[in-house]
Amino acid sequence: MELKLKLEQLHQRVDSLKDQINTEEATKNAFVMPFIQILGYDIFNPTEVIPEFICDIGTKKGEKVDYVIKNNGEPILIIECKHWKENVDAHNSQLHRYYHVSKARFGVLTNGHTYNFYADLEKPNIMDEKPFFTLDLSDLKDSSIKILENFTKTDYSLENILDSAEAMKYIKAIRKEFEKELIEPSDEFIRILVNKFFDKPLIASRMVTFREYTKKAITNTINDSISLRLKSALNINENIAKEQHLENPQPIDENVENPKFITTEEELEGFQIVKAILREKIPTERIAYRDTQSYFGILLDDNNRKPLARLHFNTINNYLELFHNGKDAGEKILLNSIDEIYNYREQLHKTFENY
């Protein structure tokens, strides 16, 4: 996909230049204007891209939105930009005011690497509080690219965007409610499940019991599903490695001393579980590992001073070492099975947040 390729190139540009970008204006010039170009709009044509567009709001005169994008002479998009270091979720009130007085159906709030797209699905001409679509250049999904295509100059479709926006809005809402049920099942949710196989009245004491059963059933189901996928991925990688070895066998150098430690399949499986937990907070490329003679270390940004966890799988018993206070000495926890690592999700998230 040409659009995805261009966005990946823009992401590389953002990563390589961001430390040299010190102002909001520089963020617009270096990151946002190339994004507008990728959508097919001529940034040098004032009939398509209008910078510093005046949006008079009541008694406030001279208020300006960073960009207005026009398609066939009609304003379709207003874009408000922030410095790349800022959190775009914290600045939608300004865009909200501009949206109210503009004729565009969509608004974008961006810091150059995250783009929040807003519409007026709740009330006409009043921007919704939550974006219906977020594009993150560091996490480009095919589904996101498909939605973004509807905003390009050649393929702009108001109807398709509104259909997608409504669908995403309700899917997000359903997912949010479902995730709540997974964490703390409600009485209604428990009744729906239990009434399918339990024909006695659900009195209060039984409800308490079935609540615990439901929690355990949900936890076990999720853990089994993730574990199955990880094992499948490990088997695929192992088969690929075997095929590559058969095709390109490495000559044995008798002068090279054998390593004093071997990275085991069990350690790699543990690493994949920790990686799956932490990817909720950080991109997977920031999670690295280094195997040593005494432990298997999992690091943030491949930095020994930023341990996220350690696996001690070289003895009779397996231990997970957690670092509650950053790089300080960790706490070793006995694991009866590798899947028990999932029980320490919050602690792993907190370790990352400490950095």
Side-chain angles (χ1 to χ4, degrees):
M1 296 170 68
E2 185 180 356
L3 181 58
K4 186 174 183 178
L5 178 61
K6 289 180 178 180
L7 290 171
E8 287 172 344
Q9 292 170 345
L10 178 59
H11 176 233
Q12 293 172 2
R13 174 187 176 88
V14 171
D15 264 3
S16 63
L17 291 179
K18 63 183 181 182
D19 291 333
Q20 304 169 51
I21 303 299
N22 299 316
T23 65
E24 185 178 298
E25 195 65 28
T27 300
K28 290 193 285 187
N29 292 337
F31 303 154
V32 181
M33 289 177 71
F35 176 79
I36 296 172
Q37 282 185 307
I38 288 172
L39 294 182
Y41 299 97
D42 185 353
I43 59 174
F44 302 108
N45 182 349
T47 65
E48 285 187 7
V49 180
I50 308 173
E52 297 292 307
F53 185 80
I54 296 176
C55 288
D56 290 338
I57 304 169
T59 58
K60 285 189 175 183
K61 303 297 181 182
E63 290 276 301
K64 296 177 181 178
V65 64
D66 288 320
Y67 299 103
V68 168
I69 310 298
K70 288 188 173 184
N71 194 311
N72 293 325
E74 293 295 324
I76 62 167
L77 200 64
I78 60 173
I79 303 177
E80 182 64 19
C81 309
K82 297 299 173 185
H83 186 259
W84 69 267
K85 287 185 178 180
E86 294 196 43
N87 182 354
V88 289
D89 294 328
H91 295 280
N92 67 352
S93 59
Q94 189 176 8
L95 182 67
H96 191 279
R97 296 199 308 271
Y98 296 149
Y99 186 95
H100 179 65
V101 296
S102 75
K103 294 181 180 179
R105 286 298 305 272
F106 306 103
V108 176
L109 186 58
T110 180
N111 56 12
H113 54 84
T114 300
Y115 292 78
N116 281 343
F117 286 73
Y118 295 84
D120 56 353
L121 301 176
E122 300 288 343
K123 297 178 181 178
N125 205 34
I126 297 177
M127 192 183 87
D128 300 334
E129 288 296 322
K130 300 289 185 181
F132 70 87
F133 167 53
T134 295
L135 179 77
D136 185 346
L137 293 182
S138 66
D139 186 21
L140 293 170
K141 299 180 176 67
D142 289 342
S143 57
S144 298
I145 302 299
K146 189 174 181 180
I147 295 167
L148 192 65
E149 284 175 348
N150 293 318
F151 285 96
T152 60
K153 181 181 177 180
T154 53
D155 296 321
Y156 175 72
S157 172
L158 175 62
E159 184 178 347
N160 287 346
I161 295 171
L162 290 176
D163 287 345
S164 298
E166 185 177 44
M168 284 186 290
K169 172 190 170 184
Y170 290 118
I171 289 171
K172 278 183 182 178
I174 293 169
R175 179 175 175 177
K176 185 178 179 181
E177 293 302 317
F178 183 64
E179 287 173 349
K180 285 181 184 177
E181 297 289 357
L182 294 181
I183 297 169
E184 191 60 46
S186 65
D187 290 353
E188 293 81 4
F189 184 69
I190 295 169
R191 285 193 179 94
I192 290 172
L193 297 177
V194 176
N195 284 337
K196 290 180 179 293
F197 58 84
F198 190 77
D199 55 5
K200 297 177 182 179
L202 274 177
I203 59 177
S205 59
R206 283 176 177 160
M207 180 62 76
V208 171
T209 302
F210 276 116
R211 185 182 305 281
E212 292 306 311
Y213 291 164
T214 302
K215 285 182 179 180
K216 288 181 181 178
I218 289 171
T219 301
N220 292 341
T221 300
I222 293 173
N223 289 349
D224 289 348
S225 177
I226 295 174
S227 182
L228 184 63
R229 290 188 181 188
L230 289 174
K231 287 176 181 176
S232 176
L234 286 170
N235 289 336
I236 291 171
N237 290 336
E238 185 181 352
N239 291 335
I240 292 172
K242 285 179 180 178
E243 290 174 6
Q244 291 175 341
H245 179 72
L246 291 172
E247 292 174 4
N248 303 294
Q250 298 297 317
I252 299 173
D253 188 346
E254 296 179 356
N255 297 319
V256 177
E257 187 178 344
N258 288 330
K260 295 180 180 179
F261 58 86
I262 297 173
T263 301
T264 66
E265 210 174 295
E266 198 174 34
E267 287 171 329
L268 290 174
E269 185 176 348
F271 170 65
Q272 293 295 341
I273 293 174
V274 173
K275 194 174 180 181
I277 292 170
L278 288 169
R279 71 178 298 177
E280 299 174 18
K281 294 285 185 179
I282 45 176
T284 54
E285 58 265 24
R286 294 189 64 191
I287 307 167
Y289 74 80
R290 293 188 196 179
D291 202 357
T292 70
Q293 196 168 355
S294 54
Y295 62 81
F296 182 97
I298 303 173
L299 309 170
L300 177 64
D301 299 328
D302 202 15
N303 187 337
N304 268 330
R305 296 183 178 181
K306 296 181 179 180
L308 295 165
R310 287 176 183 169
L311 306 178
H312 297 266
F313 290 179
N314 299 327
T315 59
I316 296 175
N317 294 318
N318 290 342
Y319 293 89
L320 169 68
E321 186 175 0
L322 297 173
F323 295 84
H324 305 302
N325 298 310
K327 61 184 179 181
D328 296 340
E331 174 195 0
K332 285 187 181 179
I333 298 165
L334 176 65
L335 297 175
N336 295 312
S337 72
I338 295 181
D339 287 344
E340 287 186 3
I341 295 174
Y342 290 112
N343 298 335
Y344 301 96
R345 175 177 172 273
E346 290 183 7
Q347 291 92 324
L348 287 165
H349 285 181
K350 187 175 181 181
T351 298
F352 162 70
E353 289 164 358
N354 283 338
Y355 292 120

